Amino acid sequence: MQIKKWHLILVLFQILSCVLIAAVLFFYPSFPYRIGAEGAMVCLIAPTATAAAVITGKLGGNEASLTSYTIISNMAAAVSIPVIFPLIEGRGDATFIQQLMVISRQVFPLLIFPFFLAWGIRLFLPKLLEIILKHCGSLAFYLWGIALMVVVGQTLRSLANSDAGHATIWTLAIIGLLTCCIQFAAGKIIGGCYKDRISGGQGLGQKNTVFAIWISYTYLLPVTSIAPSSYILWQNIINSWQLWHYNKKQSKK
């Protein structure tokens, strides 16, 4: 779980890509494609999902390395969001520390607590660890599958009940698709340079979309939440294809 160079490069991509769009919106408030740009910002700055390590393991990647990057990505988002997003729509009147604490409450209970719990079990309860590894090795994958069904259902409901026009919905959905493909591709390219292609792709491509939707409602116009909502569908279509393709290759060996 050491910090690697590709971790830092991916975090820079996550932050700088968002800052670049934010700079355009800050200096050009009348930018004609503002809603779409804001949707892209949310999809780019959103941290890595805690479930990314599950898919990485199923694809034969380095789960431990991705877990390290997940922590770094979430910490970077927690610090960056209160700095960048209030400049765009003028929301978030609380101080930086107050906003940081609010974001931390959204992120850390699902990230830091399980990490220290797992570390504590490994260190102090080795017999319990053996039981977990023997009988619950695939449990995380099935928990991810259940959570995915719930999240996709909520996403479809929010899209069906949205007051936005069809053109806006489709524009933001396409932006979600583009940012998803770009980040999976960039992550795989960067990770591949350091012989960690699978982990790099999942680290940059698989996002905590529920948190991204919360960002949209908190800092931006609520309609921008359509972009991260659609991202849920796109990233899991990609993940499903990757799992199918990987299992197909393994069955031929």
Side-chain angles (χ1 to χ4, degrees):
M1 292 191 66
Q2 297 176 347
I3 297 177
K4 300 181 180 181
K5 287 184 179 179
W6 68 264
H7 293 163
L8 304 179
I9 296 173
L10 260 60
V11 165
L12 286 175
F13 183 98
Q14 174 186 346
I15 296 174
L16 293 180
S17 59
C18 179
V19 168
L20 180 62
I21 298 175
V24 173
L25 298 180
F26 181 77
F27 290 107
Y28 299 96
S30 58
F31 186 68
Y33 306 105
R34 189 179 186 88
I35 296 296
E38 290 181 358
M41 280 181 59
V42 174
C43 294
L44 290 167
I45 197 62
T48 305
T50 53
V54 178
I55 304 301
T56 300
K58 289 292 183 181
L59 293 173
N62 190 331
E63 293 177 79
S65 182
L66 184 60
T67 300
S68 297
Y69 175 71
T70 301
I71 295 173
I72 296 169
S73 173
N74 278 266
M75 292 177 66
V79 174
S80 303
I81 290 168
V83 175
I84 301 171
F85 279 75
L87 301 175
I88 306 306
E89 289 290 345
R91 300 188 181 189
D93 296 330
T95 65
F96 170 79
I97 297 299
Q98 290 172 329
Q99 294 183 65
L100 177 62
M101 294 305 295
V102 170
I103 293 173
S104 297
R105 285 198 298 269
Q106 298 289 327
V107 173
F108 283 25
L110 295 176
L111 181 70
I112 301 300
F113 175 72
F115 172 77
F116 281 110
L117 180 62
W119 176 73
I121 291 174
R122 179 178 181 181
L123 190 64
F124 300 110
L125 300 170
K127 291 185 178 180
L128 177 59
L129 176 63
E130 291 180 9
I131 294 173
I132 292 173
L133 292 177
K134 183 177 180 180
H135 299 287
C136 305
S138 300
L139 181 60
F141 178 77
Y142 294 106
L143 290 174
W144 167 78
I146 294 171
L148 176 60
M149 287 189 291
V150 174
V151 171
V152 170
Q154 291 176 332
T155 299
L156 294 175
R157 184 182 66 178
S158 65
L159 290 174
N161 296 332
S162 175
D163 295 330
H166 295 297
T168 301
I169 291 175
W170 279 107
T171 298
L172 289 169
I174 291 172
I175 286 173
L177 174 61
L178 292 175
T179 54
C180 184
C181 293
I182 289 170
Q183 290 184 103
F184 267 103
K188 286 181 179 294
I189 292 171
I190 295 170
C193 294
Y194 296 92
K195 299 180 180 180
D196 221 340
R197 185 172 180 271
I198 295 172
S199 301
Q202 294 304 125
L204 194 59
Q206 189 170 345
K207 298 289 190 174
N208 185 344
T209 45
V210 174
F211 179 56
I213 293 169
W214 178 84
I215 297 171
S216 301
Y217 278 99
T218 303
Y219 292 99
L220 305 172
L221 298 175
V223 69
T224 58
S225 65
I226 294 174
S229 295
S230 67
Y231 198 105
I232 296 173
L233 303 177
W234 305 133
Q235 76 174 6
N236 286 295
I237 289 172
I238 291 175
N239 280 335
S240 298
W241 181 85
Q242 289 184 124
L243 289 169
W244 171 81
H245 184 67
Y246 176 79
N247 290 331
K248 185 178 180 181
K249 286 201 307 182
Q250 292 298 110
S251 64
K252 291 182 179 179
K253 292 183 179 180

